[in-house]
Amino acid sequence: EAVQFFMQNARRVRVTFSPQAEAQHVARICRLVDGIPLALELAATWLKVLSCAQIADEIERSLDILTTRQQNMPVRHRSMRAVLEQAWQLLTAPEQAVLKQLALLRGGFDQEAAQNVAGATLLILAALVEKALLHQIAGRYQIHELLRQFALEQLQQHPDQLAATQTRHSHYYLALLQTMAELKQLDIEFENVRTSWRTAVTAADFAPIQKAADAFYRYYARRALYQEGQHDFMILIERLASQPTCATWQALLCTAQRCLGAFCYHVGDYTAATTYLQQALQCAQMTHAQGEQMWSLAFLGLLAGWQGREAESDELFAQSLAISH
């Protein structure tokens, strides 16, 4: 229905509009605005000067594109921002405080996450559902993407609150990652988990990262997200290198080098894999980290085997097995 509604408005703006040529981007627009009719109508007005792909990109950047100058629309309906500001003013101060912190949560969330990240009580969540600012599906809460963008803007106006909420979000989801064994559960929560990891790396908040690093690696490996894993562990190593030398984080550096080497191995970059795994092994030997030595030797054994160096591969596996025992 959302696609059909957008098409109707699109043809009013551009008679030659071809739904077949832009079907993928039309669907993206509909998802970004959660099928809200006013938002779809406002988005379609931009077809005079933009393609559907450009409109979708602009919606992701800012709410302000969802505006029209058409005089035949009431002033309060000429922009989504005006509509959202009107809804925002109807909230109580506690509801506003919770909603703007919930804006950091992506892909839905449960009551426990809302409590830990935003201090949301069940009563406030129920009030937000009653006011149609949240909706609940199978025990999880969802927030409209446009409303999430607007609420996040409110939070960003208060840098101290933003930083504190980001820290709570990061600590909660990195701790949760360590307890989740089922891939389906990880799939549901992973957008928040990955955001929490990147927040902690940017803040050089290494303690929760150290506890969650192996679980983070395992998820990427089990889902064959090797390039994504390369990216995130490379950024972690660079962030560690930018900090003052600290023995506390040597174990994390060993883990990061070993994980990055493993991802390089999986994508077939054997030269880089060898470099990082040897660095991990040296680091692990210096810090007497037997687990890291075991895994680094095992991956180096795999590398040697794939490259036809069978005797070296056997020796590396034997060393890894000895440590394992």
Side-chain angles (χ1 to χ4, degrees):
E1 292 85 355
V3 171
Q4 291 172 358
F5 185 75
F6 181 85
M7 298 297 190
Q8 292 170 10
N9 286 277
R11 291 194 180 100
R12 292 195 194 103
V13 177
R14 192 200 300 168
V15 177
T16 59
F17 181 76
S18 170
Q20 290 76 21
E22 306 222 52
Q24 177 183 352
H25 303 299
V26 170
R28 185 175 158 215
I29 290 170
C30 293
R31 285 194 298 270
L32 285 170
V33 304
D34 288 318
I36 298 172
L38 176 60
L40 291 170
E41 188 174 355
L42 295 171
T45 63
W46 284 93
L47 285 169
K48 294 176 183 177
V49 293
L50 297 175
S51 67
C52 287
Q54 290 172 319
I55 293 171
D57 289 341
E58 290 298 325
I59 293 172
E60 286 188 334
R61 292 191 193 100
S62 172
L63 286 168
D64 292 327
I65 190 175
L66 297 177
T67 304
T68 183
R69 294 182 180 178
Q70 292 180 7
Q71 300 302 310
N72 61 345
M73 294 182 70
V75 173
R76 66 182 184 278
H77 288 167
R78 290 181 191 172
S79 76
M80 278 305 301
R81 183 175 295 282
V83 173
L84 292 170
E85 284 176 348
Q86 187 176 25
W88 183 260
Q89 295 305 320
L90 296 176
L91 298 177
T92 65
E95 290 168 351
Q96 289 180 351
V98 166
L99 188 58
K100 66 186 180 183
Q101 292 177 87
L102 292 176
L104 284 182
L105 298 166
R106 306 294 297 268
F109 52 90
D110 58 21
Q111 183 185 343
E112 183 181 347
Q115 171 65 47
N116 281 273
V117 175
T121 65
L122 188 57
L123 286 175
I124 289 181
L125 291 173
L128 293 173
V129 170
E130 288 174 1
K131 295 178 180 181
L133 298 177
L134 294 179
H135 56 278
Q136 196 175 17
I137 302 174
R140 289 179 66 82
Y141 294 92
Q142 303 283 339
I143 181 170
H144 289 295
E145 176 59 20
L146 297 181
L147 176 59
R148 193 195 67 79
Q149 286 186 33
F150 179 84
L152 184 58
E153 289 177 3
Q154 311 310 306
L155 182 60
Q156 289 168 338
Q157 293 174 16
H158 305 278
D160 291 344
Q161 291 180 27
L162 173 62
T165 308
Q166 286 175 325
T167 299
R168 288 194 299 274
H169 178 276
S170 179
H171 288 184
Y172 174 76
Y173 278 101
L174 288 179
L176 186 65
L177 172 62
Q178 300 167 59
T179 69
M180 291 188 291
E182 295 293 329
L183 276 179
K184 288 183 179 179
Q185 185 184 9
L186 278 163
D187 288 339
I188 291 170
E189 300 289 3
F190 198 68
E191 193 170 359
N192 280 309
V193 168
R194 181 163 50 191
T195 298
S196 69
W197 173 276
R198 292 175 177 176
T199 296
V201 170
T202 300
D205 188 7
F206 297 133
I209 292 175
Q210 189 168 38
K211 295 176 183 177
D214 272 318
F216 196 61
Y217 164 77
R218 284 195 299 273
Y219 178 80
Y220 271 142
R222 290 168 73 185
R223 282 292 183 231
L225 299 171
Y226 304 133
Q227 291 179 328
E228 291 87 343
Q230 268 187 302
H231 171 80
D232 278 332
F233 278 93
M234 174 63 80
I235 297 299
L236 172 58
I237 288 172
E238 292 173 351
R239 193 75 179 100
L240 284 163
S242 72
Q243 300 300 302
T245 303
C246 178
T248 306
W249 307 126
Q250 281 297 105
L252 178 56
L253 179 61
C254 294
T255 301
Q257 289 170 332
R258 183 251 302 168
C259 292
L260 180 56
F263 286 127
C264 291
Y265 159 77
H266 284 303
V267 300
D269 188 351
Y270 291 168
T271 300
T274 301
T275 298
Y276 288 118
L277 289 168
Q278 287 177 342
Q279 289 175 356
L281 179 60
Q282 291 169 6
C283 178
Q285 289 169 338
M286 288 174 57
T287 57
H288 307 289
Q290 289 187 306
E292 293 298 340
Q293 291 179 53
M294 178 191 71
W295 281 111
S296 297
L297 286 164
F299 271 109
L300 286 167
L302 284 170
L303 275 169
W306 275 107
Q307 293 174 310
R309 304 192 308 275
E310 293 183 7
E312 181 183 349
S313 176
D314 289 344
E315 175 59 26
L316 289 164
F317 277 127
Q319 293 178 39
S320 177
L321 184 60
I323 294 171
S324 179
H325 285 315

Short mmCIF file of all heavy atoms in Angstrom, two decimals, residues 181-205:
data_model
loop_
_atom_site.label_atom_id
_atom_site.label_comp_id
_atom_site.label_asym_id
_atom_site.label_seq_id
_atom_site.Cartn_x
_atom_site.Cartn_y
_atom_site.Cartn_z
N ALA A 181 24.24 -17.21 22.93
CA ALA A 181 24.83 -18.32 22.19
C ALA A 181 24.11 -18.60 20.88
O ALA A 181 24.71 -19.07 19.92
CB ALA A 181 24.83 -19.58 23.06
N GLU A 182 22.81 -18.31 20.83
CA GLU A 182 22.02 -18.61 19.64
C GLU A 182 22.25 -17.55 18.55
O GLU A 182 22.16 -16.36 18.82
CB GLU A 182 20.54 -18.66 19.99
CG GLU A 182 20.16 -19.80 20.93
CD GLU A 182 20.33 -21.16 20.27
OE1 GLU A 182 20.16 -21.24 19.03
OE2 GLU A 182 20.65 -22.13 20.97
N LEU A 183 22.52 -18.02 17.33
CA LEU A 183 22.76 -17.09 16.23
C LEU A 183 21.54 -16.23 15.93
O LEU A 183 21.67 -15.05 15.60
CB LEU A 183 23.18 -17.85 14.97
CG LEU A 183 24.67 -18.22 14.86
CD1 LEU A 183 24.91 -18.99 13.59
CD2 LEU A 183 25.55 -16.97 14.89
N LYS A 184 20.35 -16.82 16.05
CA LYS A 184 19.14 -16.05 15.74
C LYS A 184 18.99 -14.88 16.70
O LYS A 184 18.61 -13.77 16.30
CB LYS A 184 17.91 -16.95 15.80
CG LYS A 184 17.81 -17.93 14.64
CD LYS A 184 16.52 -18.74 14.71
CE LYS A 184 16.42 -19.70 13.52
NZ LYS A 184 15.18 -20.52 13.57
N GLN A 185 19.31 -15.11 17.97
CA GLN A 185 19.23 -14.03 18.95
C GLN A 185 20.28 -12.96 18.64
O GLN A 185 20.00 -11.76 18.72
CB GLN A 185 19.44 -14.58 20.36
CG GLN A 185 19.26 -13.52 21.46
CD GLN A 185 19.57 -14.05 22.85
OE1 GLN A 185 20.09 -15.16 22.99
NE2 GLN A 185 19.27 -13.25 23.86
N LEU A 186 21.47 -13.41 18.27
CA LEU A 186 22.52 -12.46 17.89
C LEU A 186 22.14 -11.66 16.66
O LEU A 186 22.42 -10.47 16.57
CB LEU A 186 23.84 -13.21 17.65
CG LEU A 186 24.65 -13.54 18.89
CD1 LEU A 186 25.68 -14.62 18.59
CD2 LEU A 186 25.35 -12.29 19.40
N ASP A 187 21.50 -12.33 15.70
CA ASP A 187 21.07 -11.62 14.49
C ASP A 187 20.12 -10.48 14.84
O ASP A 187 20.21 -9.39 14.29
CB ASP A 187 20.38 -12.60 13.53
CG ASP A 187 21.34 -13.57 12.86
OD1 ASP A 187 22.56 -13.27 12.81
OD2 ASP A 187 20.88 -14.63 12.42
N ILE A 188 19.20 -10.76 15.77
CA ILE A 188 18.21 -9.75 16.16
C ILE A 188 18.89 -8.55 16.80
O ILE A 188 18.53 -7.40 16.54
CB ILE A 188 17.17 -10.37 17.12
CG1 ILE A 188 16.30 -11.38 16.38
CG2 ILE A 188 16.31 -9.29 17.76
CD1 ILE A 188 15.41 -12.21 17.28
N GLU A 189 19.90 -8.80 17.64
CA GLU A 189 20.50 -7.73 18.43
C GLU A 189 21.76 -7.15 17.81
O GLU A 189 22.32 -6.18 18.34
CB GLU A 189 20.86 -8.26 19.83
CG GLU A 189 19.69 -8.80 20.63
CD GLU A 189 18.74 -7.69 21.10
OE1 GLU A 189 18.95 -6.52 20.75
OE2 GLU A 189 17.78 -8.02 21.82
N PHE A 190 22.20 -7.69 16.66
CA PHE A 190 23.57 -7.37 16.26
C PHE A 190 23.78 -5.93 15.82
O PHE A 190 24.87 -5.39 15.97
CB PHE A 190 24.07 -8.32 15.15
CG PHE A 190 25.57 -8.28 15.05
CD1 PHE A 190 26.34 -8.80 16.08
CD2 PHE A 190 26.21 -7.70 13.97
CE1 PHE A 190 27.72 -8.75 16.04
CE2 PHE A 190 27.58 -7.65 13.92
CZ PHE A 190 28.35 -8.18 14.95
N GLU A 191 22.77 -5.28 15.32
CA GLU A 191 22.96 -3.87 14.94
C GLU A 191 23.32 -3.04 16.17
O GLU A 191 24.20 -2.18 16.12
CB GLU A 191 21.70 -3.32 14.27
CG GLU A 191 21.94 -2.00 13.58
CD GLU A 191 20.78 -1.56 12.70
OE1 GLU A 191 19.77 -2.31 12.61
OE2 GLU A 191 20.88 -0.46 12.14
N ASN A 192 22.67 -3.33 17.28
CA ASN A 192 23.01 -2.64 18.53
C ASN A 192 24.37 -3.09 19.05
O ASN A 192 25.14 -2.29 19.57
CB ASN A 192 21.94 -2.90 19.59
CG ASN A 192 20.72 -2.01 19.38
OD1 ASN A 192 20.84 -0.80 19.25
ND2 ASN A 192 19.55 -2.62 19.35
N VAL A 193 24.68 -4.38 18.93
CA VAL A 193 25.97 -4.88 19.40
C VAL A 193 27.11 -4.23 18.63
O VAL A 193 28.10 -3.77 19.22
CB VAL A 193 26.04 -6.42 19.25
CG1 VAL A 193 27.46 -6.92 19.46
CG2 VAL A 193 25.10 -7.09 20.25
N ARG A 194 26.98 -4.17 17.31
CA ARG A 194 28.05 -3.58 16.51
C ARG A 194 28.21 -2.09 16.82
O ARG A 194 29.33 -1.58 16.91
CB ARG A 194 27.77 -3.78 15.02
CG ARG A 194 28.86 -3.21 14.12
CD ARG A 194 28.78 -3.77 12.72
NE ARG A 194 27.45 -3.69 12.17
CZ ARG A 194 27.08 -4.30 11.04
NH1 ARG A 194 27.95 -5.03 10.37
NH2 ARG A 194 25.86 -4.17 10.57
N THR A 195 27.09 -1.39 17.01
CA THR A 195 27.17 0.02 17.38
C THR A 195 27.86 0.18 18.72
O THR A 195 28.69 1.09 18.90
CB THR A 195 25.76 0.63 17.45
OG1 THR A 195 25.15 0.55 16.16
CG2 THR A 195 25.80 2.09 17.89
N SER A 196 27.55 -0.71 19.67
CA SER A 196 28.15 -0.61 21.00
C SER A 196 29.66 -0.87 20.93
O SER A 196 30.45 -0.21 21.62
CB SER A 196 27.49 -1.60 21.96
OG SER A 196 27.81 -2.94 21.63
N TRP A 197 30.07 -1.82 20.09
CA TRP A 197 31.50 -2.10 19.91
C TRP A 197 32.22 -0.87 19.35
O TRP A 197 33.26 -0.44 19.87
CB TRP A 197 31.66 -3.29 18.95
CG TRP A 197 33.07 -3.58 18.54
CD1 TRP A 197 33.79 -2.99 17.54
CD2 TRP A 197 33.95 -4.57 19.13
NE1 TRP A 197 35.05 -3.54 17.46
CE2 TRP A 197 35.17 -4.51 18.42
CE3 TRP A 197 33.81 -5.49 20.16
CZ2 TRP A 197 36.25 -5.34 18.72
CZ3 TRP A 197 34.88 -6.32 20.46
CH2 TRP A 197 36.08 -6.24 19.75
N ARG A 198 31.66 -0.28 18.32
CA ARG A 198 32.31 0.86 17.68
C ARG A 198 32.33 2.08 18.60
O ARG A 198 33.29 2.86 18.58
CB ARG A 198 31.61 1.17 16.35
CG ARG A 198 31.84 0.05 15.32
CD ARG A 198 31.08 0.25 14.02
NE ARG A 198 31.41 -0.82 13.09
CZ ARG A 198 30.86 -0.96 11.89
NH1 ARG A 198 29.92 -0.12 11.49
NH2 ARG A 198 31.23 -1.95 11.10
N THR A 199 31.28 2.24 19.41
CA THR A 199 31.27 3.33 20.39
C THR A 199 32.41 3.15 21.39
O THR A 199 33.14 4.10 21.71
CB THR A 199 29.93 3.35 21.15
OG1 THR A 199 28.88 3.64 20.22
CG2 THR A 199 29.94 4.40 22.25
N ALA A 200 32.58 1.92 21.89
CA ALA A 200 33.64 1.66 22.87
C ALA A 200 35.03 1.84 22.27
O ALA A 200 35.93 2.37 22.92
CB ALA A 200 33.48 0.24 23.43
N VAL A 201 35.21 1.43 21.02
CA VAL A 201 36.51 1.61 20.36
C VAL A 201 36.83 3.09 20.21
O VAL A 201 37.94 3.54 20.52
CB VAL A 201 36.53 0.90 18.98
CG1 VAL A 201 37.79 1.29 18.20
CG2 VAL A 201 36.47 -0.61 19.16
N THR A 202 35.86 3.85 19.74
CA THR A 202 36.07 5.29 19.56
C THR A 202 36.42 5.96 20.88
O THR A 202 37.29 6.84 20.94
CB THR A 202 34.80 5.95 18.98
OG1 THR A 202 34.51 5.34 17.71
CG2 THR A 202 34.99 7.45 18.79
N ALA A 203 35.80 5.53 21.97
CA ALA A 203 36.03 6.12 23.30
C ALA A 203 37.24 5.52 23.99
O ALA A 203 37.56 5.92 25.12
CB ALA A 203 34.79 5.94 24.16
N ALA A 204 37.93 4.57 23.34
CA ALA A 204 39.05 3.86 23.97
C ALA A 204 38.62 3.22 25.30
O ALA A 204 39.37 3.18 26.27
CB ALA A 204 40.24 4.78 24.18
N ASP A 205 37.39 2.72 25.33
CA ASP A 205 36.83 2.06 26.50
C ASP A 205 37.12 0.57 26.35
O ASP A 205 36.24 -0.22 25.98
CB ASP A 205 35.32 2.35 26.57
CG ASP A 205 34.69 1.87 27.86
OD1 ASP A 205 35.43 1.43 28.76
OD2 ASP A 205 33.45 1.93 27.97
#
